[in-house]
Amino acid sequence: MNILLVGEYSRHHNSLKEGLVQLGHHVVIMGFKDGFKDYPIDLPLEQKWNTSYRKKIKVLLYKLTGFNITSWFTYQQFKNYQSQVIQYDIVQLINENTFYCGYYFEKKMLKFLFENNKKVYLMCCGTDFLTVKYYFENPTFKSLFLPYLAGKINPKNFQNVLKFRKSDYQKLHDYIFKNIQGVIGSDMDYHLPMQNETKYLGMIANPINIEKLPYIPMKIDSKIIIFHGINSESYFNKGNDYFEKALTIIEKKYFDKVEIITTRSIPYLQYIELYNKAHILLDMAYSFDQGYHALEAMAKGKIVFTGAETEFYDYYQLKEKVNINAKPDVDYLVNELSFLIENPNELIAISERARKFVEKKHNYIQIAQKYCDTWQ
């Protein structure tokens, strides 16, 4: 098949492309490079006028006229690629707002893709109209909305999520759903809110190219190393406030048994180098399932504190831990960390199971085949 993957989050489409190519398909990725992660993109787009003084001018221009110059620049880049994004058997959008544009320009680009390709599918990957609606209607659901509803996140810093409550994004959602063949969820955090939607085709696990992630056998020579990498922009969204409080207690309680590495918004390569040294990695306290970051760490044999609720274990029919379910609860986190520190053999056992789980359930070639089966 001839396949166009539009958009990129956390290497999802790159891993899927690698699996599809192994199966003999021709695949092109179009989109942004996911910020500093700089993932490979065949037809790259760049968000312009988003830095320094130009951003202030852009905001002022938008307030005065309603014209978004960044969206206009994205559309001009898209037009340059039009001859290269037609006549595909399959087009898959990573999200309802793949191009990060407002309604007018986003719809123009989507309209071209709908009219010039055979089938278009949508990923439920990241927040969109339906998931945001579900989170607000179910305020106790374990999600990144909990810290927002608790008043920890300023609405101005949460606009990338709150925008999906606006009428323009509902119109965009309605337009997309009229033109796609179906929606595919990438993990339990999207699968659970989407189950009653008529165009929902089910969940396909995140593809992980395990060949690029060598397993690091767990060795505990002296101290247990705990890594906590903080992205300042998503500090509360991930539950980092709970992780930091728990680590303060752990550091005092086990000062002779642990080494704690905490970083804040450091370059990606430096981040990976430090986390490769760790036994335990603190990832996310507001999820049911694992995202890419957690899965890649599990593939390397790290003990990851992430989403692993009962629904996750039931779905994959797991009887033993492959990670640690993180919760926004300091006492709970301290107890879980304490148990692992006092029982290092459990670290080794979970490490081995984590790798096997990713190999079995997230193999990028097997996942790519599941996509092909669903598309057809």
Side-chain angles (χ1 to χ4, degrees), residues 56-68 156:
K56 294 180 181 179
I57 296 173
K58 180 184 81 169
V59 171
L60 179 61
L61 180 64
Y62 182 76
K63 287 182 178 179
L64 292 174
T65 68
F67 179 73
N68 188 319
K156 290 183 179 179

Side-chain angles (χ1 to χ4, degrees), residues 312-335:
F312 159 74
Y313 277 89
D314 290 345
Y315 182 86
Y316 288 106
Q317 298 180 324
L318 298 172
K319 294 182 180 179
E320 295 181 291
K321 288 184 178 180
V322 296
N323 49 30
I324 305 299
N325 185 34
K327 297 179 181 180
D329 182 323
V330 174
D331 291 338
Y332 168 85
L333 293 171
V334 169
N335 288 337

Side-chain angles (χ1 to χ4, degrees), residues 63-258:
K63 287 182 178 179
L64 292 174
T65 68
F67 179 73
N68 188 319
I69 195 167
T70 296
S71 294
W72 181 83
F73 273 119
T74 298
Y75 176 60
Q76 298 308 311
Q77 294 171 73
F78 177 86
K79 284 170 64 178
N80 292 332
Y81 291 131
Q82 282 184 337
S83 64
Q84 300 175 69
V85 294
I86 60 175
Q87 298 180 351
Y88 284 87
D89 300 304
I90 300 294
V91 174
Q92 179 164 277
L93 308 172
I94 198 81
N95 182 259
E96 286 188 8
N97 195 207
T98 297
F99 297 105
Y100 303 115
C101 292
Y103 174 76
Y104 178 77
F105 286 112
E106 190 89 13
K107 184 180 177 181
K108 285 176 75 71
M109 290 181 278
L110 292 172
K111 186 174 187 289
F112 184 87
L113 292 175
F114 290 140
E115 291 179 348
N116 291 281
N117 296 283
K118 293 180 182 178
K119 292 182 179 181
V120 181
Y121 290 84
L122 172 69
M123 288 293 302
C124 185
C125 179
T127 50
D128 56 26
F129 175 76
L130 287 175
T131 54
V132 170
K133 180 174 180 286
Y134 184 89
Y135 297 154
F136 269 97
E137 291 174 353
N138 298 271
T140 60
F141 186 80
K142 189 184 181 189
S143 75
L144 51 72
F145 262 75
L146 292 179
Y148 170 74
L149 295 174
K152 294 181 179 181
I153 303 174
N154 188 313
K156 290 183 179 179
N157 299 326
F158 209 51
Q159 284 306 306
N160 62 322
V161 176
L162 295 179
K163 67 183 182 184
F164 289 106
R165 302 197 78 200
K166 296 179 179 178
S167 60
D168 273 0
Y169 286 92
Q170 180 168 0
K171 284 197 300 181
L172 185 62
H173 161 79
D174 292 341
Y175 175 71
I176 291 170
F177 266 60
K178 286 179 182 177
N179 288 278
I180 56 171
Q181 273 63 49
V183 190
I184 299 167
S186 62
D187 64 42
M188 298 300 295
D189 296 285
Y190 312 115
H191 173 67
L192 295 172
M194 291 291 292
Q195 287 183 92
N196 294 323
E197 297 302 320
T198 55
K199 284 207 169 181
Y200 185 54
L201 303 175
M203 183 178 111
I204 302 178
N206 287 305
I208 302 293
N209 188 340
I210 52 178
E211 294 166 17
K212 292 180 179 288
L213 299 164
Y215 176 62
I216 304 171
M218 182 75 68
K219 292 182 180 179
I220 305 170
D221 298 321
S222 54
K223 292 185 176 182
I224 292 170
I225 301 172
I226 304 172
F227 180 76
H228 183 206
I230 299 170
N231 181 339
S232 298
E233 291 183 3
S234 58
Y235 180 82
F236 290 108
N237 304 39
K238 301 280 187 179
N240 288 303
D241 48 335
Y242 293 98
F243 286 140
E244 285 205 292
K245 289 173 183 176
L247 287 177
T248 299
I249 296 170
I250 290 295
E251 194 166 28
K252 291 178 181 178
K253 185 177 179 182
Y254 298 105
F255 66 92
D256 59 336
K257 292 184 178 181
V258 300

